[in-house]
Amino acid sequence: MPRAKVQRKSTSIDMTAMCDVSFLLLTYFILSATAKQPDPLDVRLPTSTYKIKVPEKDIAILTIGKDKVYFEAAGQDIKVATLEKIGEQYKISFTPEEKKRFSVIGSFGVPIQSLKQFVMLDGDKRKKSGLETGIPTDSTNNQLADWILQSRKAVAELHSEGMRVSIKGDAEEGYPMVKKIVDILQKQKINKFSLITTAEGGSK
Amino acid sequence: MAELDTSGGGGKKGGKVRSKKSSTKVDLTAMVDLAFLLITFFMLTTTLNKPIAMDIAKPDKDEKNEQRLELRASQTMTILLGKNNKVAWYMGEAGKSAPEVQDFTQIRKSILENKQKVQAASGKSIVMVIKPTSGATYKNFVDIMDELAITGIKSAPAIDDENITDAEKAFMKSQNLL
């Protein structure tokens, strides 16, 4: 009597489903990742050994480079609220479309007077327009201080949190310019702020 | 993983020789590997790209309040930041001891030495005063704050860019640092 042969199962697994799942995940990650807004100023950050990550919410970022200052408040709702408050202060009314367009702009460096024009330009034309002369910081025309103050108010009203201010300075920027900005912050009693740096190895 | 060819060939029917159909199954293992590799890459790049913040606290500047806390000279180390990535430091009061000019690679050793000296002499921790002059760059300022963090100075350094004394200015000028 011959022995019944045990059927050997093939060892290959059907990978189709696995492949589907993994590509689904991949596409999800790619789509959900928001593209980083290109900085209008290319700033080379200094390095440090600190390990604290920059928070994503309730923060304003001041970019300093080439003796110019750019401003950005994080969060679309905050941006719109800040714009409204600035508009009230400077007697400029912004249309809903302008507000919407402003809410997706990253950091900008235009005086209030040409902001309307700047907002209505398309993304790629903004850099070429030459409107970005940095936000005025003179003592007589201190728009940066107003931006900071109004965005702080906006954060306080909408999120009932204190806004943190971060400075993103170019490594080669002279200290006097940084001091000027810090003095503006200190005038508003902001004595604590963060300097944004990139990581470096632990010991040189 | 080689797949066993299980298309039995069909035997011989009617004497016609049929061309063998190769199986249409594609081995997707490599594809899955690739997909997961990409996923991990994307995940890592999204998390690692976060910038790092260094918290700075400056003394409150109040025009009305002219109170100044005197620092004890024996436990104070003042670091002046100058041009060309150079620093000058001295212990104690300004003008009494000639500042020493160094660059950023040597300053860490000096800070550590002074820290130990002060600790041994008075049992108190050292107090740092950082005075960035107009010749310094932003990078110098970040670097010196970083050095203090590395050397483990716990007390917050006094960042004093207002009161650079004439003696200090004169010295910096003589060393071509301002």
Side-chain angles (χ1 to χ4, degrees):
Chain A
M1 197 174 165
R3 255 197 294 163
K5 268 196 188 148
V6 182
Q7 274 258 314
R8 272 268 178 87
K9 278 232 174 84
S10 129
T11 47
S12 79
I13 308 161
D14 188 14
M15 280 283 174
T16 323
M18 189 75 159
C19 198
D20 287 350
V21 167
S22 52
F23 268 99
L24 190 81
L25 277 173
L26 184 60
T27 41
Y28 169 75
F29 271 113
I30 291 174
L31 290 178
S32 67
T34 47
K36 206 173 117 228
Q37 286 274 355
D39 267 326
L41 272 175
D42 44 344
V43 170
R44 282 183 309 110
L45 294 173
T47 57
S48 81
T49 56
Y50 279 73
K51 295 274 184 288
I52 315 161
K53 291 259 169 24
V54 180
E56 304 241 325
K57 274 172 56 189
D58 303 333
I59 190 167
I61 298 171
L62 307 176
T63 314
I64 308 173
K66 302 191 185 85
D67 288 337
K68 289 192 231 169
V69 184
Y70 286 57
F71 176 84
E72 176 181 7
Q76 294 198 2
D77 51 342
I78 301 290
K79 276 183 183 137
V80 173
T82 308
L83 187 69
E84 282 167 359
K85 286 180 193 300
I86 281 279
E88 275 170 37
Q89 190 184 341
Y90 281 87
K91 307 277 187 296
I92 302 173
S93 60
F94 290 97
T95 61
E97 197 205 346
E98 280 167 347
K99 283 177 192 167
K100 192 169 167 291
R101 290 184 75 132
F102 180 77
S103 71
V104 292
I105 295 180
S107 69
F108 63 95
V110 276
I112 304 273
Q113 288 74 18
S114 48
L115 188 63
K116 254 184 180 322
Q117 192 190 341
F118 177 76
V119 166
M120 289 321 280
L121 285 174
D122 284 331
D124 50 348
K125 292 201 185 104
R126 280 187 189 133
K127 198 160 182 170
K128 291 179 201 150
S129 65
L131 288 171
E132 297 205 294
T133 50
I135 296 175
T137 54
D138 321 322
S139 48
T140 49
N141 180 19
N142 201 335
Q143 293 178 6
L144 182 71
D146 295 330
W147 278 109
I148 294 168
L149 189 66
Q150 302 300 356
S151 58
R152 285 173 71 202
K153 280 185 188 166
V155 170
E157 281 172 22
L158 293 171
H159 299 180
S160 39
E161 289 269 347
M163 189 181 81
R164 295 190 59 96
V165 179
S166 300
I167 293 179
K168 200 171 177 178
D170 188 86
E172 295 307 312
E173 188 63 38
Y175 187 77
M177 184 69 194
V178 179
K179 180 176 182 303
K180 196 168 152 188
I181 306 299
V182 169
D183 285 348
I184 290 173
L185 292 178
Q186 290 209 283
K187 270 223 175 71
Q188 300 188 14
K189 293 270 183 292
I190 306 174
N191 292 320
K192 244 191 111 177
F193 41 88
S194 336
L195 307 177
I196 297 182
T197 58
T198 52
E200 72 173 45
S203 54
K204 277 176 250 175
Chain B
M1 279 188 237
E3 298 214 356
L4 297 172
D5 193 15
T6 47
S7 58
K12 276 182 187 161
K13 265 188 186 172
K16 262 187 201 163
V17 181
R18 283 230 178 116
S19 61
K20 227 190 233 177
K21 266 198 190 151
S22 59
S23 82
T24 48
K25 266 196 182 168
V26 185
D27 188 8
L28 285 177
T29 322
M31 193 78 147
V32 175
D33 287 352
L34 181 76
F36 269 99
L37 187 81
L38 282 171
I39 288 174
T40 43
F41 169 75
F42 270 101
M43 282 172 91
L44 287 177
T45 45
T46 45
T47 48
L48 285 181
N49 211 355
K50 272 197 183 156
I52 298 162
M54 169 193 288
D55 281 341
I56 300 288
K58 281 192 76 173
D60 194 357
K61 246 202 324 208
D62 204 344
E63 277 86 13
K64 294 188 283 292
N65 185 358
E66 274 301 316
Q67 253 188 348
R68 287 264 182 79
L69 285 173
E70 289 293 323
L71 291 170
R72 199 173 305 181
S74 62
Q75 60 180 82
T76 309
M77 176 177 177
T78 308
I79 302 178
L80 292 151
L81 307 179
K83 258 196 326 207
N84 311 331
N85 302 329
K86 288 267 190 257
V87 291
W89 64 270
Y90 62 87
M91 292 293 294
E93 280 179 63
K96 291 211 175 164
S97 49
E100 200 172 318
V101 177
Q102 290 184 318
D103 57 30
F104 275 94
T105 50
Q106 305 151 319
I107 188 74
R108 186 180 309 175
K109 205 160 149 244
S110 315
I111 294 174
L112 282 170
E113 275 172 13
N114 286 321
K115 188 182 162 191
Q116 277 160 355
K117 271 186 203 156
V118 169
Q119 191 71 36
S122 65
K124 292 192 172 67
S125 55
I126 192 166
V127 176
M128 294 301 228
V129 178
I130 310 285
K131 295 192 177 180
T133 62
S134 52
T137 61
Y138 174 68
K139 181 176 184 292
N140 299 151
F141 178 63
V142 172
D143 279 349
I144 200 77
M145 298 306 289
D146 203 26
E147 290 296 334
L148 296 188
I150 293 168
T151 47
I153 308 274
K154 294 280 187 296
S155 59
I159 303 156
D160 194 350
D161 42 24
E162 304 288 324
N163 314 302
I164 297 168
T165 60
D166 294 338
E168 284 165 348
K169 274 184 187 156
F171 172 79
M172 295 300 268
K173 280 214 173 70
S174 70
Q175 296 282 344
N176 279 331
L177 296 180
L178 194 63

